[in-house]
PDB file of all heavy atoms in Angstrom:
ATOM      1  N   TRP N 163      73.723   6.119  19.689  1.00  0.00           N
ATOM      2  CA  TRP N 163      74.163   7.023  18.637  1.00  0.00           C
ATOM      3  C   TRP N 163      75.208   6.373  17.743  1.00  0.00           C
ATOM      4  O   TRP N 163      75.892   5.431  18.117  1.00  0.00           O
ATOM      5  CB  TRP N 163      74.699   8.329  19.219  1.00  0.00           C
ATOM      6  CG  TRP N 163      75.835   8.171  20.192  1.00  0.00           C
ATOM      7  CD1 TRP N 163      75.724   7.965  21.538  1.00  0.00           C
ATOM      8  CD2 TRP N 163      77.232   8.197  19.905  1.00  0.00           C
ATOM      9  NE1 TRP N 163      76.976   7.862  22.106  1.00  0.00           N
ATOM     10  CE2 TRP N 163      77.913   7.999  21.122  1.00  0.00           C
ATOM     11  CE3 TRP N 163      77.977   8.370  18.734  1.00  0.00           C
ATOM     12  CZ2 TRP N 163      79.299   7.970  21.210  1.00  0.00           C
ATOM     13  CZ3 TRP N 163      79.364   8.331  18.817  1.00  0.00           C
ATOM     14  CH2 TRP N 163      80.009   8.150  20.044  1.00  0.00           C
ATOM     15  N   GLY N 164      75.265   6.896  16.520  1.00  0.00           N
ATOM     16  CA  GLY N 164      76.209   6.420  15.533  1.00  0.00           C
ATOM     17  C   GLY N 164      77.089   7.542  15.026  1.00  0.00           C
ATOM     18  O   GLY N 164      76.856   8.720  15.298  1.00  0.00           O
ATOM     19  N   LEU N 165      78.099   7.146  14.263  1.00  0.00           N
ATOM     20  CA  LEU N 165      79.084   8.087  13.741  1.00  0.00           C
ATOM     21  C   LEU N 165      79.081   8.041  12.220  1.00  0.00           C
ATOM     22  O   LEU N 165      79.102   6.966  11.614  1.00  0.00           O
ATOM     23  CB  LEU N 165      80.480   7.714  14.261  1.00  0.00           C
ATOM     24  CG  LEU N 165      81.647   8.590  13.795  1.00  0.00           C
ATOM     25  CD1 LEU N 165      81.525   9.999  14.378  1.00  0.00           C
ATOM     26  CD2 LEU N 165      82.975   7.954  14.204  1.00  0.00           C
ATOM     27  N   ALA N 166      79.046   9.207  11.594  1.00  0.00           N
ATOM     28  CA  ALA N 166      79.119   9.336  10.143  1.00  0.00           C
ATOM     29  C   ALA N 166      80.057  10.486   9.808  1.00  0.00           C
ATOM     30  O   ALA N 166      80.483  11.233  10.688  1.00  0.00           O
ATOM     31  CB  ALA N 166      77.725   9.591   9.556  1.00  0.00           C
ATOM     32  N   GLY N 167      80.363  10.628   8.544  1.00  0.00           N
ATOM     33  CA  GLY N 167      81.178  11.756   8.114  1.00  0.00           C
ATOM     34  C   GLY N 167      82.628  11.389   7.917  1.00  0.00           C
ATOM     35  O   GLY N 167      83.373  11.227   8.879  1.00  0.00           O
ATOM     36  N   GLY N 168      83.019  11.205   6.676  1.00  0.00           N
ATOM     37  CA  GLY N 168      84.421  10.968   6.377  1.00  0.00           C
ATOM     38  C   GLY N 168      84.932   9.582   6.717  1.00  0.00           C
ATOM     39  O   GLY N 168      86.140   9.351   6.696  1.00  0.00           O
ATOM     40  N   LEU N 169      84.047   8.661   7.042  1.00  0.00           N
ATOM     41  CA  LEU N 169      84.496   7.314   7.355  1.00  0.00           C
ATOM     42  C   LEU N 169      84.842   6.566   6.068  1.00  0.00           C
ATOM     43  O   LEU N 169      84.237   6.787   5.025  1.00  0.00           O
ATOM     44  CB  LEU N 169      83.438   6.544   8.133  1.00  0.00           C
ATOM     45  CG  LEU N 169      83.081   7.109   9.510  1.00  0.00           C
ATOM     46  CD1 LEU N 169      82.088   6.189  10.206  1.00  0.00           C
ATOM     47  CD2 LEU N 169      84.324   7.301  10.369  1.00  0.00           C
ATOM     48  N   ALA N 170      85.801   5.663   6.170  1.00  0.00           N
ATOM     49  CA  ALA N 170      86.290   4.902   5.029  1.00  0.00           C
ATOM     50  C   ALA N 170      86.935   3.632   5.558  1.00  0.00           C
ATOM     51  O   ALA N 170      87.167   3.515   6.769  1.00  0.00           O
ATOM     52  CB  ALA N 170      87.316   5.733   4.243  1.00  0.00           C
ATOM     53  N   PRO N 171      87.233   2.667   4.693  1.00  0.00           N
ATOM     54  CA  PRO N 171      87.889   1.451   5.169  1.00  0.00           C
ATOM     55  C   PRO N 171      89.173   1.737   5.941  1.00  0.00           C
ATOM     56  O   PRO N 171      89.507   1.020   6.896  1.00  0.00           O
ATOM     57  CB  PRO N 171      88.183   0.683   3.871  1.00  0.00           C
ATOM     58  CG  PRO N 171      87.144   1.146   2.903  1.00  0.00           C
ATOM     59  CD  PRO N 171      86.914   2.585   3.245  1.00  0.00           C
ATOM     60  N   GLU N 172      89.869   2.810   5.550  1.00  0.00           N
ATOM     61  CA  GLU N 172      91.172   3.107   6.139  1.00  0.00           C
ATOM     62  C   GLU N 172      91.089   3.652   7.564  1.00  0.00           C
ATOM     63  O   GLU N 172      92.067   3.567   8.315  1.00  0.00           O
ATOM     64  CB  GLU N 172      91.913   4.121   5.260  1.00  0.00           C
ATOM     65  CG  GLU N 172      92.230   3.621   3.856  1.00  0.00           C
ATOM     66  CD  GLU N 172      91.063   3.656   2.880  1.00  0.00           C
ATOM     67  OE1 GLU N 172      90.006   4.265   3.201  1.00  0.00           O
ATOM     68  OE2 GLU N 172      91.189   3.076   1.782  1.00  0.00           O
ATOM     69  N   ASN N 173      89.952   4.252   7.945  1.00  0.00           N
ATOM     70  CA  ASN N 173      89.911   4.889   9.271  1.00  0.00           C
ATOM     71  C   ASN N 173      88.786   4.402  10.172  1.00  0.00           C
ATOM     72  O   ASN N 173      88.662   4.838  11.315  1.00  0.00           O
ATOM     73  CB  ASN N 173      89.824   6.418   9.130  1.00  0.00           C
ATOM     74  CG  ASN N 173      88.515   6.894   8.512  1.00  0.00           C
ATOM     75  OD1 ASN N 173      87.595   6.106   8.269  1.00  0.00           O
ATOM     76  ND2 ASN N 173      88.425   8.189   8.246  1.00  0.00           N
ATOM     77  N   VAL N 174      87.939   3.485   9.683  1.00  0.00           N
ATOM     78  CA  VAL N 174      86.756   3.127  10.470  1.00  0.00           C
ATOM     79  C   VAL N 174      87.114   2.407  11.764  1.00  0.00           C
ATOM     80  O   VAL N 174      86.449   2.598  12.789  1.00  0.00           O
ATOM     81  CB  VAL N 174      85.754   2.306   9.638  1.00  0.00           C
ATOM     82  CG1 VAL N 174      86.321   0.942   9.238  1.00  0.00           C
ATOM     83  CG2 VAL N 174      84.446   2.142  10.388  1.00  0.00           C
ATOM     84  N   ALA N 175      88.163   1.593  11.753  1.00  0.00           N
ATOM     85  CA  ALA N 175      88.533   0.892  12.978  1.00  0.00           C
ATOM     86  C   ALA N 175      88.947   1.887  14.057  1.00  0.00           C
ATOM     87  O   ALA N 175      88.519   1.791  15.212  1.00  0.00           O
ATOM     88  CB  ALA N 175      89.660  -0.102  12.709  1.00  0.00           C
ATOM     89  N   ASP N 176      89.752   2.867  13.678  1.00  0.00           N
ATOM     90  CA  ASP N 176      90.177   3.889  14.634  1.00  0.00           C
ATOM     91  C   ASP N 176      88.990   4.706  15.109  1.00  0.00           C
ATOM     92  O   ASP N 176      88.875   5.029  16.298  1.00  0.00           O
ATOM     93  CB  ASP N 176      91.220   4.803  13.980  1.00  0.00           C
ATOM     94  CG  ASP N 176      91.718   5.882  14.929  1.00  0.00           C
ATOM     95  OD1 ASP N 176      92.069   5.545  16.079  1.00  0.00           O
ATOM     96  OD2 ASP N 176      91.755   7.059  14.530  1.00  0.00           O
ATOM     97  N   ALA N 177      88.071   5.036  14.193  1.00  0.00           N
ATOM     98  CA  ALA N 177      86.893   5.813  14.557  1.00  0.00           C
ATOM     99  C   ALA N 177      86.026   5.055  15.563  1.00  0.00           C
ATOM    100  O   ALA N 177      85.558   5.624  16.554  1.00  0.00           O
ATOM    101  CB  ALA N 177      86.078   6.142  13.311  1.00  0.00           C
ATOM    102  N   ALA N 178      85.817   3.774  15.299  1.00  0.00           N
ATOM    103  CA  ALA N 178      84.983   2.979  16.199  1.00  0.00           C
ATOM    104  C   ALA N 178      85.627   2.849  17.570  1.00  0.00           C
ATOM    105  O   ALA N 178      84.949   2.957  18.603  1.00  0.00           O
ATOM    106  CB  ALA N 178      84.739   1.603  15.585  1.00  0.00           C
ATOM    107  N   ARG N 179      86.934   2.613  17.584  1.00  0.00           N
ATOM    108  CA  ARG N 179      87.632   2.455  18.869  1.00  0.00           C
ATOM    109  C   ARG N 179      87.645   3.748  19.665  1.00  0.00           C
ATOM    110  O   ARG N 179      87.428   3.761  20.877  1.00  0.00           O
ATOM    111  CB  ARG N 179      89.069   1.992  18.633  1.00  0.00           C
ATOM    112  CG  ARG N 179      89.229   0.506  18.375  1.00  0.00           C
ATOM    113  CD  ARG N 179      90.686   0.090  18.497  1.00  0.00           C
ATOM    114  NE  ARG N 179      91.504   0.767  17.489  1.00  0.00           N
ATOM    115  CZ  ARG N 179      91.812   0.243  16.306  1.00  0.00           C
ATOM    116  NH1 ARG N 179      91.360  -0.959  15.971  1.00  0.00           N
ATOM    117  NH2 ARG N 179      92.561   0.914  15.452  1.00  0.00           N
ATOM    118  N   SER N 180      87.919   4.858  18.984  1.00  0.00           N
ATOM    119  CA  SER N 180      88.122   6.114  19.708  1.00  0.00           C
ATOM    120  C   SER N 180      86.819   6.749  20.185  1.00  0.00           C
ATOM    121  O   SER N 180      86.818   7.513  21.146  1.00  0.00           O
ATOM    122  CB  SER N 180      88.905   7.109  18.845  1.00  0.00           C
ATOM    123  OG  SER N 180      88.179   7.459  17.691  1.00  0.00           O
ATOM    124  N   THR N 181      85.704   6.427  19.529  1.00  0.00           N
ATOM    125  CA  THR N 181      84.438   7.044  19.928  1.00  0.00           C
ATOM    126  C   THR N 181      83.515   6.102  20.692  1.00  0.00           C
ATOM    127  O   THR N 181      82.658   6.555  21.440  1.00  0.00           O
ATOM    128  CB  THR N 181      83.660   7.557  18.701  1.00  0.00           C
ATOM    129  OG1 THR N 181      83.287   6.439  17.874  1.00  0.00           O
ATOM    130  CG2 THR N 181      84.496   8.540  17.889  1.00  0.00           C
ATOM    131  N   GLY N 182      83.650   4.791  20.459  1.00  0.00           N
ATOM    132  CA  GLY N 182      82.707   3.854  21.071  1.00  0.00           C
ATOM    133  C   GLY N 182      81.328   3.916  20.448  1.00  0.00           C
ATOM    134  O   GLY N 182      80.340   3.490  21.054  1.00  0.00           O
ATOM    135  N   ALA N 183      81.225   4.428  19.228  1.00  0.00           N
ATOM    136  CA  ALA N 183      79.930   4.560  18.556  1.00  0.00           C
ATOM    137  C   ALA N 183      79.252   3.200  18.422  1.00  0.00           C
ATOM    138  O   ALA N 183      79.905   2.187  18.153  1.00  0.00           O
ATOM    139  CB  ALA N 183      80.113   5.183  17.180  1.00  0.00           C
ATOM    140  N   ALA N 184      77.934   3.184  18.589  1.00  0.00           N
ATOM    141  CA  ALA N 184      77.171   1.939  18.456  1.00  0.00           C
ATOM    142  C   ALA N 184      76.987   1.553  16.998  1.00  0.00           C
ATOM    143  O   ALA N 184      76.682   0.399  16.693  1.00  0.00           O
ATOM    144  CB  ALA N 184      75.807   2.097  19.127  1.00  0.00           C
ATOM    145  N   LEU N 185      77.146   2.526  16.094  1.00  0.00           N
ATOM    146  CA  LEU N 185      76.960   2.285  14.660  1.00  0.00           C
ATOM    147  C   LEU N 185      77.910   3.182  13.885  1.00  0.00           C
ATOM    148  O   LEU N 185      78.143   4.332  14.271  1.00  0.00           O
ATOM    149  CB  LEU N 185      75.507   2.569  14.267  1.00  0.00           C
ATOM    150  CG  LEU N 185      75.132   2.454  12.793  1.00  0.00           C
ATOM    151  CD1 LEU N 185      73.737   1.837  12.629  1.00  0.00           C
ATOM    152  CD2 LEU N 185      75.154   3.833  12.101  1.00  0.00           C
ATOM    153  N   VAL N 186      78.464   2.639  12.806  1.00  0.00           N
ATOM    154  CA  VAL N 186      79.266   3.455  11.889  1.00  0.00           C
ATOM    155  C   VAL N 186      78.558   3.486  10.545  1.00  0.00           C
ATOM    156  O   VAL N 186      78.009   2.483  10.087  1.00  0.00           O
ATOM    157  CB  VAL N 186      80.708   2.931  11.760  1.00  0.00           C
ATOM    158  CG1 VAL N 186      81.497   3.204  13.030  1.00  0.00           C
ATOM    159  CG2 VAL N 186      80.742   1.443  11.419  1.00  0.00           C
ATOM    160  N   ASP N 187      78.573   4.652   9.919  1.00  0.00           N
ATOM    161  CA  ASP N 187      77.778   4.907   8.712  1.00  0.00           C
ATOM    162  C   ASP N 187      78.704   5.436   7.624  1.00  0.00           C
ATOM    163  O   ASP N 187      79.457   6.381   7.847  1.00  0.00           O
ATOM    164  CB  ASP N 187      76.700   5.938   9.060  1.00  0.00           C
ATOM    165  CG  ASP N 187      75.712   6.209   7.937  1.00  0.00           C
ATOM    166  OD1 ASP N 187      76.148   6.396   6.785  1.00  0.00           O
ATOM    167  OD2 ASP N 187      74.506   6.246   8.210  1.00  0.00           O
ATOM    168  N   VAL N 188      78.657   4.811   6.442  1.00  0.00           N
ATOM    169  CA  VAL N 188      79.522   5.246   5.350  1.00  0.00           C
ATOM    170  C   VAL N 188      78.719   5.378   4.071  1.00  0.00           C
ATOM    171  O   VAL N 188      77.779   4.629   3.824  1.00  0.00           O
ATOM    172  CB  VAL N 188      80.685   4.243   5.139  1.00  0.00           C
ATOM    173  CG1 VAL N 188      80.165   2.889   4.666  1.00  0.00           C
ATOM    174  CG2 VAL N 188      81.724   4.791   4.169  1.00  0.00           C
ATOM    175  N   SER N 189      79.101   6.343   3.259  1.00  0.00           N
ATOM    176  CA  SER N 189      78.500   6.499   1.937  1.00  0.00           C
ATOM    177  C   SER N 189      79.603   6.696   0.902  1.00  0.00           C
ATOM    178  O   SER N 189      80.023   5.760   0.242  1.00  0.00           O
ATOM    179  CB  SER N 189      77.515   7.668   1.915  1.00  0.00           C
ATOM    180  OG  SER N 189      76.828   7.717   0.689  1.00  0.00           O
ATOM    181  N   SER N 190      80.141   7.916   0.819  1.00  0.00           N
ATOM    182  CA  SER N 190      81.161   8.183  -0.200  1.00  0.00           C
ATOM    183  C   SER N 190      82.454   7.413   0.056  1.00  0.00           C
ATOM    184  O   SER N 190      83.215   7.157  -0.878  1.00  0.00           O
ATOM    185  CB  SER N 190      81.449   9.685  -0.283  1.00  0.00           C
ATOM    186  OG  SER N 190      81.941  10.181   0.944  1.00  0.00           O
ATOM    187  N   GLY N 191      82.703   7.019   1.281  1.00  0.00           N
ATOM    188  CA  GLY N 191      83.943   6.323   1.615  1.00  0.00           C
ATOM    189  C   GLY N 191      84.072   4.932   1.032  1.00  0.00           C
ATOM    190  O   GLY N 191      85.152   4.337   1.071  1.00  0.00           O
ATOM    191  N   VAL N 192      82.971   4.390   0.507  1.00  0.00           N
ATOM    192  CA  VAL N 192      83.044   3.077  -0.153  1.00  0.00           C
ATOM    193  C   VAL N 192      82.674   3.204  -1.627  1.00  0.00           C
ATOM    194  O   VAL N 192      82.168   2.276  -2.239  1.00  0.00           O
ATOM    195  CB  VAL N 192      82.150   2.024   0.546  1.00  0.00           C
ATOM    196  CG1 VAL N 192      82.713   1.678   1.919  1.00  0.00           C
ATOM    197  CG2 VAL N 192      80.699   2.510   0.676  1.00  0.00           C
ATOM    198  N   GLU N 193      82.954   4.384  -2.196  1.00  0.00           N
ATOM    199  CA  GLU N 193      82.634   4.645  -3.598  1.00  0.00           C
ATOM    200  C   GLU N 193      83.895   4.897  -4.414  1.00  0.00           C
ATOM    201  O   GLU N 193      84.932   5.322  -3.877  1.00  0.00           O
ATOM    202  CB  GLU N 193      81.699   5.852  -3.715  1.00  0.00           C
ATOM    203  CG  GLU N 193      80.314   5.601  -3.128  1.00  0.00           C
ATOM    204  CD  GLU N 193      79.395   6.803  -3.160  1.00  0.00           C
ATOM    205  OE1 GLU N 193      79.860   7.911  -3.505  1.00  0.00           O
ATOM    206  OE2 GLU N 193      78.211   6.633  -2.850  1.00  0.00           O
ATOM    207  N   ILE N 194      83.785   4.652  -5.731  1.00  0.00           N
ATOM    208  CA  ILE N 194      84.871   4.985  -6.656  1.00  0.00           C
ATOM    209  C   ILE N 194      84.480   6.167  -7.538  1.00  0.00           C
ATOM    210  O   ILE N 194      85.244   6.583  -8.400  1.00  0.00           O
ATOM    211  CB  ILE N 194      85.249   3.763  -7.522  1.00  0.00           C
ATOM    212  CG1 ILE N 194      84.020   3.189  -8.227  1.00  0.00           C
ATOM    213  CG2 ILE N 194      85.930   2.706  -6.669  1.00  0.00           C
ATOM    214  CD1 ILE N 194      84.338   2.099  -9.224  1.00  0.00           C
TER     215      ILE N 194
END
Side-chain angles (χ1 to χ4, degrees):
W163 57 272
L165 179 67
L169 297 184
E172 297 79 11
N173 66 6
V174 65
D176 181 48
R179 279 194 297 265
S180 64
T181 65
L185 176 142
V186 288
D187 185 314
V188 65
S189 187
S190 61
V192 291
E193 293 177 352
I194 54 173

